[in-house]
């Protein structure tokens, strides 16, 4: 599986118990929806490796998982903080809007035509989503990263997935 086909849906957390269970952090809208997308791929040392889910359950407010062939705490501990990805083609088509993974890698340009950089990540803040834009190497304003609120019509004026471009009403100095 190539990295271009993978969309990150969560991360493995700390171990739970002695039989290889791990806590997970889901970045899907409903936490347990992460289990709807199989198979999982784990980003181990920069390579995506397929893994099978044996079981999952809630423990207090945490989701915990048992992966096949991970039977003790020591082996499970080597997977702490590993990203969980799935094949992006497994997501259902949207009638409107975009998945976050659709926006990653898009070039961000302001209304004045200034190239602000490319979307490297997305963040959820509660009130609105935020584009994390990695600035171009020789940014005239000395920026390394910009956080731009994803507010349609107000800030985000146009998204063109065909050209991988997002046009925003945003001052380049921010």
């Amino acid at each position: 599986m190539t990295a271009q086909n993978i969309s990150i849906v969560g991360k493995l957390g700390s171990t739970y118990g002695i039989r290889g269970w791990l806590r997970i952090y889901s970045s899907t809208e409903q936490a347990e929806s992460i289990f709807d997308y199989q198979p999982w791929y784990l980003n181990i040392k920069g390579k995506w490796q397929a893994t099978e889910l044996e079981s999952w359950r809630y423990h207090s407010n945490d989701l915990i998982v048992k992966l096949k062939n991970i039977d003790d705490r020591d082996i499970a501990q080597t997977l702490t903080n590993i990203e969980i990805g799935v094949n992006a083609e497994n997501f259902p088509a949207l009638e409107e809007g975009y998945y976050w993974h659709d926006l990653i890698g898009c070039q961000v340009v302001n209304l004045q035509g200034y190239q602000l950089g490319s979307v490297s990540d997305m963040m959820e803040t509660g009130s609105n989503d935020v584009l994390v834009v990695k600035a171009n190497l020789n940014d005239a304003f000395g920026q390394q990263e910009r956080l731009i609120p994803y507010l349609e019509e107000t800030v985000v004026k146009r998204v063109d997935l065909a050209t991988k471009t997002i046009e925003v009403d945003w001052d380049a100095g921010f």
Side-chain angles (χ1 to χ4, degrees):
M1 183 62 52
T2 65
Q4 293 142 340
N5 298 348
I6 298 287
S7 184
I8 297 168
V9 293
K11 186 162 129 176
L12 294 172
S14 61
T15 57
Y16 172 80
I18 61 171
R19 294 199 171 100
W21 286 77
L22 290 150
R23 289 175 177 80
I24 66 164
Y25 303 100
S26 172
S27 55
T28 58
E29 192 167 353
Q30 302 294 323
E32 62 274 353
S33 295
I34 194 171
F35 303 113
D36 295 341
Y37 307 108
Q38 299 292 324
W40 282 0
Y41 295 88
L42 301 181
N43 189 357
I44 300 173
K45 297 182 181 174
K47 293 187 179 180
W48 291 101
Q49 298 178 24
T51 190
E52 289 185 57
L53 184 66
E54 187 174 304
S55 184
W56 71 273
R57 67 177 190 233
Y58 276 100
H59 175 71
S60 299
N61 290 329
D62 293 334
L63 281 173
I64 58 173
V65 294
K66 173 78 174 68
L67 302 175
K68 282 198 175 177
N69 302 321
I70 306 296
D71 296 319
D72 71 47
R73 181 182 186 93
D74 292 337
I75 294 171
Q77 200 157 18
T78 66
L79 299 175
T80 298
N81 293 321
I82 297 289
E83 292 175 322
I84 302 166
V86 297
N87 187 337
E89 294 173 5
N90 291 348
F91 295 126
L94 295 175
E95 290 181 27
E96 60 180 58
Y98 317 97
Y99 285 112
W100 280 9
H101 71 264
D102 293 331
L103 303 177
I104 304 293
C106 286
Q107 293 299 311
V108 180
V109 180
N110 71 7
L111 296 177
Q112 293 73 36
Y114 188 82
Q115 299 278 336
L116 298 170
S118 62
V119 179
S120 62
D121 201 359
M122 297 284 296
M123 292 185 337
E124 185 176 11
T125 63
S127 59
N128 56 271
D129 295 337
V130 175
L131 296 165
V132 178
V133 179
K134 182 178 181 191
N136 297 318
L137 284 177
N138 294 318
D139 187 82
F141 295 90
Q143 301 292 324
Q144 292 183 4
E145 182 178 84
R146 291 179 174 89
L147 302 178
I148 302 174
Y150 191 91
L151 299 170
E152 289 181 323
E153 297 178 18
T154 309
V155 176
V156 177
K157 297 299 185 179
R158 188 175 61 86
V159 175
D160 185 347
L161 292 181
T163 62
K164 299 284 282 175
T165 305
I166 301 172
E167 187 177 44
V168 295
D169 184 2
W170 196 254
D171 188 304
F174 284 168

